[in-house]
Amino acid sequence: MALRVAVIGTGNMGIHHLRNYYHNPDVELVGFVEPNEKNAEKVKTKYPIEHFADYKKVLGKVDAVSIATPTCTHFEIASFFLSHQIHVLLEKPITDSIEEAEDLIEIAKQQNTLLSIGHIERFNPVIQELKNILKKESPVFVEIHRESPFDPRIYDVDVVSDLMIHDIDALYYILKRKLNIVSSTGIKVHSNKSDLVNVQLISDDNVLINITTSRATEQKIRSWRIILKDKLIEADLLERKLYLSSRTEVGKKIFDTNADHHYTQEQITAKILVKNDEPLQIEIDNFIQSILGNTILEVEGKDGLKALKLVKEIQQKIITV
């Protein structure tokens, strides 16, 4: 029997949720919620499903919902569905405040209902491969760039909540270490909130991390550069490319002995093949299969709360220049 699902909000992310549910064989897509009639008409031309102007109207018709609305509405909408034992996939950030996030987690626990948070980068095949590589060896330094052009539709959060939170969650997921803030600097470019932020973090075992996040860059960049003791990892999360450079045995000998190194290959770079799967499709499938009891939920409410706590700390410590 197919799981009955509705999508709440059909903006930039919501429309992609709709597409993935529409083609999922384990889902009956009941409909979508969109208060704006003009936007709803556009959606209905692509997906001939029922439209609801009020999210409360889907109650009794669904087993689960995806919520892709502005962050300021997350607590109200998610708490409504969780209280009625409807499973929720909630776009990041989990909520506006830590207190609201804690309340949502408690409601989900009391109602024995799944609450998953849309930290989509966990499902990026490049991040999955990085996690596998770094199980064997700890990095020394991590440099992350997440940059995009300005999008005026994102009006209720700064660049830390909007974009940097992806990398914060991915760092927790990969490194599994406590992260401490060294510095946090922001610049307002297009809005009255920080549009470009640079943060330096250090883990409890001295991994140095530098994150530059911008929504004022006229190019989309999603790059990680990881320095290990004798390796360099370069990752492009958009193009799904991953390269590993390491010193050859000859190179190690030259380094150790300071020998003559004419005409020797000291380093070698390997391209690591990664899958080209769509992260959102994997995320939604994990949510659905977790409800059906076929797998374990990958991103829980507690993960969203953990990322939100560091986001709030970074925001509090930002020095605006």
Side-chain angles (χ1 to χ4, degrees):
M1 186 176 175
L3 203 68
R4 301 172 303 161
V5 177
V7 174
I8 318 298
T10 57
N12 193 37
M13 280 302 297
I15 197 68
H16 294 297
H17 281 254
L18 267 178
R19 171 176 54 81
N20 276 284
Y21 283 120
Y22 192 76
H23 297 289
N24 191 308
D26 293 316
V27 167
E28 177 195 344
L29 186 56
V30 171
F32 68 95
V33 176
E34 175 54 64
N36 185 303
E37 283 292 335
K38 189 176 179 182
N39 291 346
E41 287 303 318
K42 289 179 183 177
V43 173
K44 283 194 285 187
T45 60
K46 274 191 172 184
Y47 304 102
I49 53 177
E50 191 171 357
H51 163 234
F52 302 87
D54 182 353
Y55 66 83
K56 293 179 181 177
K57 297 295 183 183
V58 304
L59 192 64
K61 299 182 178 184
V62 295
D63 305 302
V65 294
S66 263
I67 301 173
T69 58
T71 307
C72 57
T73 68
H74 282 189
F75 180 76
E76 176 193 329
I77 299 173
S79 61
F80 172 81
F81 286 107
L82 290 171
S83 297
H84 289 90
Q85 296 186 315
I86 305 299
H87 304 288
V88 170
L89 171 54
L90 179 61
E91 268 301 329
K92 59 78 203 164
I94 179 171
T95 51
D96 256 342
S97 72
I98 291 169
E99 294 75 22
E100 287 178 340
E102 289 171 340
D103 287 347
L104 273 190
I105 293 166
E106 184 58 30
I107 294 168
K109 183 180 177 182
Q110 288 176 356
Q111 297 297 328
N112 194 28
T113 303
L114 294 186
L115 169 62
S116 186
I117 310 303
H119 286 295
I120 194 171
E121 289 293 18
R122 287 198 186 202
F123 301 93
N124 189 314
V126 174
I127 292 294
Q128 291 286 331
E129 194 60 45
L130 285 177
K131 187 172 186 286
N132 290 334
I133 294 170
L134 296 177
K135 279 179 184 176
K136 304 165 188 173
E137 189 174 354
S138 180
V140 175
F141 176 72
V142 181
E143 175 86 29
I144 299 171
H145 284 265
R146 181 174 294 267
E147 303 177 40
S148 297
F150 183 68
D151 185 350
R153 293 173 298 181
I154 311 297
Y155 61 87
D156 66 332
V157 292
D158 68 359
V159 75
V160 181
S161 292
D162 182 27
L163 296 177
M164 188 181 287
I165 194 169
H166 283 298
D167 297 300
I168 289 169
D169 177 71
L171 283 166
Y172 277 134
Y173 177 62
I174 291 172
L175 299 180
K176 298 193 180 302
R177 294 170 174 85
K178 186 178 185 299
L179 303 176
N180 305 293
I181 300 169
V182 177
S183 65
S184 178
T185 309
I187 302 172
K188 297 175 183 177
V189 182
H190 298 297
S191 72
N192 62 353
K193 295 181 173 67
S194 294
D195 297 313
L196 191 155
V197 173
N198 177 264
V199 172
Q200 193 171 78
L201 307 170
I202 192 160
S203 70
D204 55 4
D205 60 345
N206 295 321
V207 178
L208 186 61
I209 301 159
N210 193 70
I211 309 176
T212 301
T213 307
S214 167
R215 57 184 182 190
T217 304
E218 294 306 314
Q219 185 181 4
K220 207 169 182 179
I221 300 167
R222 303 285 186 270
S223 68
W224 283 46
R225 192 168 182 266
I226 303 170
I227 297 174
L228 294 91
K229 186 179 178 182
D230 56 3
K231 296 183 185 72
L232 170 67
I233 301 171
E234 296 173 288
D236 185 328
L237 275 59
L238 274 180
E239 298 295 327
R240 313 274 163 78
K241 292 179 179 178
L242 187 59
Y243 296 94
L244 176 64
S245 299
S246 56
R247 193 177 295 154
T248 63
E249 288 303 316
V250 171
K252 289 178 184 177
K253 185 176 179 181
I254 291 168
F255 181 81
D256 293 338
T257 62
N258 200 27
D260 184 6
H261 58 277
H262 288 107
Y263 310 109
T264 60
Q265 185 174 5
E266 296 180 35
Q267 290 90 22
I268 187 166
T269 299
K271 182 177 182 180
I272 299 171
L273 298 178
V274 296
K275 295 178 181 178
N276 198 31
D277 298 333
E278 183 189 0
L280 183 59
Q281 182 182 16
I282 305 171
E283 177 183 74
I284 285 175
D285 195 53
N286 175 257
F287 176 57
I288 295 302
Q289 296 306 318
S290 296
I291 296 169
L292 296 174
N294 297 327
T295 191
I296 297 169
L297 194 63
E298 186 64 52
V299 190
E300 301 179 53
K302 65 181 182 181
D303 299 307
L305 175 60
K306 190 174 185 179
L308 182 65
K309 283 181 175 179
L310 188 55
V311 161
K312 293 297 183 185
E313 191 180 348
I314 288 169
Q315 290 169 331
Q316 288 167 5
K317 294 185 176 181
I318 284 178
I319 298 171
T320 305
V321 296

